[in-house]
Coordinates of all heavy atoms in Angstrom, one line a residue:
P140 N 90.2 114.5 72.6 CA 89.1 113.5 72.9 C 89.2 112.9 74.3 O 88.1 112.7 74.9 CB 89.3 112.4 71.8 CG 90.7 112.5 71.4 CD 91.0 114.0 71.5
V141 N 90.4 112.6 74.8 CA 90.5 112.0 76.1 C 90.3 113.0 77.3 O 89.4 112.8 78.1 CB 91.8 111.3 76.3 CG1 92.0 110.7 77.7 CG2 92.0 110.2 75.2
A142 N 91.1 114.0 77.3 CA 90.9 115.0 78.4 C 89.5 115.8 78.2 O 88.9 116.1 79.2 CB 92.0 116.0 78.3
G143 N 89.1 116.0 77.0 CA 87.8 116.6 76.7 C 86.7 115.8 77.4 O 85.8 116.4 78.0
Q144 N 86.7 114.5 77.2 CA 85.6 113.7 77.8 C 85.7 113.7 79.3 O 84.7 113.8 80.0 CB 85.7 112.3 77.3 CG 84.6 111.4 77.7 CD 83.3 111.8 77.2 OE1 83.0 111.9 76.0 NE2 82.3 112.2 78.1
Y145 N 86.9 113.7 79.8 CA 87.2 113.7 81.3 C 86.5 115.0 81.8 O 85.8 114.9 82.9 CB 88.6 113.7 81.6 CG 89.0 113.7 83.0 CD1 89.1 112.6 83.8 CD2 89.4 114.9 83.6 CE1 89.4 112.6 85.1 CE2 89.8 115.0 85.0 CZ 89.8 113.8 85.7 OH 90.2 113.8 87.0
F146 N 86.8 116.1 81.2 CA 86.3 117.4 81.7 C 84.8 117.5 81.5 O 84.0 118.1 82.3 CB 87.0 118.6 81.1 CG 88.4 118.7 81.7 CD1 89.5 118.9 80.8 CD2 88.7 118.7 83.0 CE1 90.8 119.0 81.3 CE2 89.9 118.8 83.5 CZ 91.0 119.0 82.7
M147 N 84.3 117.0 80.4 CA 82.8 117.0 80.2 C 82.1 116.2 81.2 O 81.0 116.5 81.7 CB 82.4 116.5 78.8 CG 82.6 117.5 77.7 SD 81.8 117.0 76.2 CE 82.8 115.6 75.7
D148 N 82.7 115.1 81.6 CA 82.1 114.2 82.7 C 82.1 115.0 84.0 O 81.3 114.7 84.9 CB 82.9 112.9 82.8 CG 82.7 112.0 81.7 OD1 81.8 112.2 80.9 OD2 83.6 111.1 81.5
S149 N 83.1 115.9 84.2 CA 83.3 116.5 85.5 C 82.6 117.9 85.7 O 82.1 118.2 86.7 CB 84.8 116.6 85.8 OG 85.4 115.4 85.6
F150 N 82.7 118.7 84.6 CA 82.3 120.1 84.7 C 80.8 120.1 84.9 O 80.0 119.1 84.6 CB 82.7 120.9 83.5 CG 84.2 121.2 83.5 CD1 84.7 121.9 82.4 CD2 85.0 120.7 84.4 CE1 86.0 122.1 82.3 CE2 86.4 121.0 84.3 CZ 86.9 121.7 83.3
E151 N 80.3 121.2 85.4 CA 78.8 121.5 85.6 C 78.2 122.0 84.3 O 78.6 123.1 83.8 CB 78.6 122.4 86.7 CG 77.1 122.7 87.0 CD 76.9 123.7 88.1 OE1 77.9 124.0 88.8 OE2 75.8 124.2 88.2
L152 N 77.3 121.3 83.7 CA 76.6 121.7 82.5 C 75.4 122.6 82.8 O 74.5 122.1 83.5 CB 76.2 120.5 81.7 CG 75.5 120.8 80.3 CD1 76.3 121.6 79.4 CD2 75.0 119.5 79.6
R153 N 75.4 123.8 82.4 CA 74.3 124.8 82.6 C 73.8 125.2 81.2 O 74.2 124.7 80.2 CB 74.8 126.0 83.3 CG 75.4 125.7 84.7 CD 75.9 127.0 85.3 NE 76.8 126.7 86.4 CZ 77.5 127.7 87.0 NH1 77.5 128.9 86.6 NH2 78.3 127.4 88.0
E154 N 72.8 126.0 81.2 CA 72.2 126.4 79.9 C 73.2 127.1 79.0 O 73.0 126.9 77.7 CB 71.0 127.4 80.2 CG 69.8 126.8 80.8 CD 68.6 127.7 80.9 OE1 68.8 128.9 80.5 OE2 67.6 127.3 81.4
D155 N 74.2 127.8 79.5 CA 75.1 128.4 78.6 C 76.4 127.7 78.4 O 77.4 128.2 77.8 CB 75.4 129.8 79.2 CG 76.1 129.8 80.6 OD1 75.9 128.7 81.2 OD2 76.7 130.8 81.0
G156 N 76.5 126.4 78.9 CA 77.6 125.6 78.6 C 78.2 125.0 79.8 O 77.6 124.9 80.9
Y157 N 79.5 124.5 79.7 CA 80.2 123.8 80.8 C 81.0 124.7 81.6 O 81.8 125.5 81.2 CB 81.1 122.8 80.1 CG 80.4 121.6 79.5 CD1 80.1 121.6 78.1 CD2 80.1 120.4 80.2 CE1 79.5 120.5 77.5 CE2 79.5 119.3 79.6 CZ 79.2 119.4 78.3 OH 78.6 118.3 77.7
H158 N 80.7 124.7 82.9 CA 81.3 125.5 83.9 C 82.2 124.7 84.8 O 81.9 123.5 85.1 CB 80.3 126.3 84.8 CG 79.6 127.4 84.1 ND1 79.8 128.7 84.3 CD2 78.6 127.3 83.2 CE1 78.9 129.4 83.5 NE2 78.2 128.6 82.8
L159 N 83.3 125.3 85.4 CA 84.1 124.6 86.3 C 83.2 124.2 87.5 O 82.3 124.9 87.9 CB 85.2 125.4 86.8 CG 86.2 125.9 85.8 CD1 87.3 126.7 86.4 CD2 86.8 124.8 85.0
H160 N 83.5 123.0 88.1 CA 82.7 122.5 89.3 C 83.5 122.7 90.6 O 83.2 122.0 91.5 CB 82.3 121.1 89.0 CG 83.5 120.1 88.9 ND1 84.5 120.4 88.1 CD2 83.8 119.0 89.6 CE1 85.4 119.4 88.2 NE2 85.0 118.6 89.1
G161 N 84.4 123.6 90.6 CA 85.2 123.9 91.8 C 85.9 125.2 91.6 O 85.8 125.9 90.5
E162 N 86.7 125.6 92.6 CA 87.5 126.8 92.5 C 88.9 126.6 92.2 O 89.6 125.7 92.8 CB 87.3 127.5 93.9 CG 85.9 127.9 94.3 CD 85.8 128.5 95.6 OE1 86.9 128.8 96.2 OE2 84.7 128.6 96.1
V163 N 89.5 127.3 91.2 CA 90.8 127.1 90.8 C 91.8 127.3 92.0 O 92.8 126.5 92.1 CB 91.2 128.0 89.6 CG1 92.7 127.9 89.3 CG2 90.3 127.7 88.4
P164 N 91.7 128.3 92.8 CA 92.6 128.4 94.0 C 92.6 127.1 94.9 O 93.6 126.8 95.4 CB 92.1 129.6 94.7 CG 91.4 130.5 93.7 CD 90.8 129.5 92.8
V165 N 91.4 126.5 95.0 CA 91.4 125.3 95.9 C 92.1 124.2 95.2 O 93.0 123.5 95.8 CB 89.9 124.9 96.1 CG1 89.8 123.5 96.7 CG2 89.2 125.9 97.0
W166 N 91.9 124.0 93.9 CA 92.6 122.9 93.2 C 94.1 123.2 93.1 O 94.9 122.3 93.3 CB 92.0 122.8 91.7 CG 90.6 122.3 91.7 CD1 90.0 121.6 92.6 CD2 89.7 122.6 90.6 NE1 88.7 121.3 92.2 CE2 88.5 121.9 91.0 CE3 89.8 123.2 89.4 CZ2 87.4 121.9 90.1 CZ3 88.6 123.3 88.6 CH2 87.4 122.6 88.9
R167 N 94.5 124.5 93.0 CA 95.9 124.8 93.0 C 96.5 124.4 94.3 O 97.6 123.8 94.4 CB 96.0 126.3 92.8 CG 97.5 126.8 92.8 CD 97.5 128.3 93.0 NE 96.9 128.7 94.3 CZ 96.3 129.8 94.6 NH1 96.2 130.7 93.6 NH2 95.8 130.1 95.8
D168 N 95.8 124.8 95.4 CA 96.4 124.6 96.7 C 96.4 123.1 97.1 O 97.3 122.6 97.9 CB 95.7 125.4 97.8 CG 95.9 126.9 97.7 OD1 96.9 127.2 96.9 OD2 95.2 127.6 98.3
I169 N 95.5 122.3 96.6 CA 95.6 120.8 96.8 C 96.9 120.3 96.2 O 97.6 119.6 96.8 CB 94.3 120.2 96.1 CG1 93.1 120.5 96.9 CG2 94.6 118.6 96.1 CD1 91.8 120.0 96.2
S170 N 97.1 120.7 95.0 CA 98.3 120.3 94.3 C 99.6 120.9 94.9 O 100.6 120.2 94.9 CB 98.2 120.7 92.8 OG 99.3 120.2 92.0
E171 N 99.5 122.1 95.3 CA 100.7 122.7 95.9 C 101.2 122.0 97.2 O 102.4 121.9 97.4 CB 100.4 124.2 96.3 CG 100.3 125.2 95.2 CD 101.7 125.6 94.7 OE1 102.4 126.3 95.3 OE2 102.1 125.0 93.6
E172 N 100.3 121.4 97.9 CA 100.7 120.6 99.1 C 101.6 119.5 98.7 O 102.6 119.2 99.4 CB 99.5 120.0 99.8 CG 99.8 119.3 101.1 CD 98.9 118.2 101.5 OE1 98.2 117.6 100.6 OE2 98.9 117.8 102.7
W173 N 101.3 118.9 97.5 CA 102.2 117.7 97.1 C 103.6 118.2 96.8 O 104.5 117.4 96.8 CB 101.6 117.1 95.9 CG 100.1 116.7 96.0 CD1 99.5 116.4 97.2 CD2 99.2 116.5 95.0 NE1 98.2 116.1 97.0 CE2 98.0 116.1 95.6 CE3 99.2 116.6 93.6 CZ2 96.8 115.8 94.9 CZ3 98.1 116.3 92.9 CH2 96.9 115.9 93.5
G174 N 103.8 119.5 96.5 CA 105.1 120.0 96.3 C 105.9 120.3 97.5 O 107.1 120.7 97.4
T175 N 105.3 120.1 98.7 CA 106.0 120.5 99.9 C 106.3 119.3 100.9 O 106.9 119.5 101.9 CB 105.1 121.5 100.7 OG1 103.9 120.9 101.1 CG2 104.8 122.7 99.9
R176 N 105.8 118.1 100.5 CA 105.9 117.0 101.4 C 105.9 115.7 100.6 O 105.6 115.7 99.4 CB 104.8 117.0 102.5 CG 103.4 116.9 101.8 CD 102.3 116.9 102.8 NE 102.3 115.7 103.7 CZ 101.2 115.4 104.4 NH1 100.1 116.1 104.3 NH2 101.2 114.3 105.1
D177 N 106.3 114.6 101.2 CA 106.2 113.3 100.5 C 105.3 112.4 101.3 O 104.9 112.7 102.5 CB 107.5 112.7 100.3 CG 108.1 112.2 101.6 OD1 107.8 111.1 102.0 OD2 109.0 112.9 102.2
F178 N 104.8 111.3 100.7 CA 103.9 110.4 101.3 C 104.4 108.9 101.3 O 103.7 108.0 101.2 CB 102.5 110.4 100.5 CG 101.9 111.8 100.5 CD1 102.2 112.8 99.6 CD2 101.0 112.1 101.6 CE1 101.6 114.0 99.7 CE2 100.4 113.4 101.6 CZ 100.7 114.3 100.7
W179 N 105.8 108.8 101.4 CA 106.4 107.5 101.4 C 106.0 106.7 102.7 O 105.7 105.5 102.6 CB 107.9 107.6 101.4 CG 108.4 107.8 100.0 CD1 109.0 109.0 99.5 CD2 108.5 106.9 98.9 NE1 109.4 108.8 98.2 CE2 109.1 107.5 97.8 CE3 108.0 105.6 98.8 CZ2 109.3 106.8 96.6 CZ3 108.2 104.9 97.6 CH2 108.8 105.5 96.5
A180 N 105.9 107.4 103.8 CA 105.5 106.7 105.0 C 104.2 106.1 104.9 O 103.9 105.0 105.4 CB 105.6 107.7 106.2
Q181 N 103.2 106.8 104.4 CA 101.9 106.3 104.2 C 101.9 105.1 103.3 O 101.1 104.2 103.5 CB 100.9 107.4 103.7 CG 100.7 108.5 104.7 CD 101.7 109.7 104.6 OE1 102.8 109.5 104.1 NE2 101.3 110.8 105.1
W182 N 102.6 105.2 102.2 CA 102.7 104.1 101.3 C 103.3 102.8 101.9 O 102.7 101.7 101.8 CB 103.5 104.4 100.0 CG 103.8 103.2 99.2 CD1 105.0 102.7 99.0 CD2 102.9 102.5 98.4 NE1 104.9 101.6 98.1 CE2 103.6 101.4 97.8 CE3 101.5 102.6 98.3 CZ2 103.0 100.5 97.0 CZ3 100.9 101.6 97.5 CH2 101.6 100.6 96.8
R183 N 104.3 103.0 102.7 CA 104.9 101.8 103.4 C 104.0 101.2 104.4 O 104.1 100.1 104.8 CB 106.2 102.2 104.0 CG 107.4 102.5 103.0 CD 108.7 102.6 103.7 NE 108.8 103.8 104.5 CZ 109.3 105.0 104.1 NH1 109.7 105.1 102.8 NH2 109.3 106.0 104.8
A184 N 103.0 102.0 104.9 CA 102.1 101.6 105.9 C 100.9 100.8 105.4 O 100.2 100.2 106.1 CB 101.6 102.8 106.8
V185 N 100.7 100.8 104.1 CA 99.6 100.1 103.4 C 99.8 98.6 103.6 O 100.9 98.1 103.1 CB 99.4 100.5 102.0 CG1 98.4 99.7 101.3 CG2 99.1 102.0 101.9
R186 N 98.9 97.9 104.1 CA 99.0 96.4 104.3 C 98.4 95.7 103.2 O 98.7 94.5 103.0 CB 98.3 96.0 105.6 CG 99.0 96.7 106.9 CD 98.7 95.8 108.1 NE 97.3 95.4 108.3 CZ 96.6 95.7 109.3 NH1 97.1 96.4 110.3 NH2 95.3 95.3 109.4
A187 N 97.5 96.3 102.4 CA 96.7 95.5 101.4 C 97.6 95.3 100.1 O 98.5 96.1 99.8 CB 95.5 96.4 101.0
P188 N 97.4 94.2 99.4 CA 98.0 94.0 98.1 C 97.7 95.2 97.2 O 96.6 95.7 97.3 CB 97.5 92.7 97.6 CG 96.2 92.5 98.4 CD 96.4 93.1 99.7
A189 N 98.6 95.5 96.3 CA 98.4 96.7 95.5 C 98.8 96.5 94.0 O 99.8 95.7 93.7 CB 99.2 97.9 96.0

Side-chain angles (χ1 to χ4, degrees):
V141 176
Q144 186 62 61
Y145 180 84
F146 288 131
M147 280 194 293
D148 291 340
S149 304
F150 290 178
E151 181 183 346
L152 181 58
R153 305 178 192 169
E154 289 187 359
D155 60 341
Y157 290 90
H158 291 252
L159 301 182
H160 61 309
E162 300 176 8
V163 175
V165 169
W166 293 337
R167 177 199 63 210
D168 289 349
I169 291 171
S170 184
E171 285 283 285
E172 185 210 22
W173 306 337
T175 65
R176 58 183 294 199
D177 72 80
F178 298 89
W179 280 111
Q181 291 88 338
W182 169 248
R183 288 191 293 268
V185 174
R186 298 204 312 237

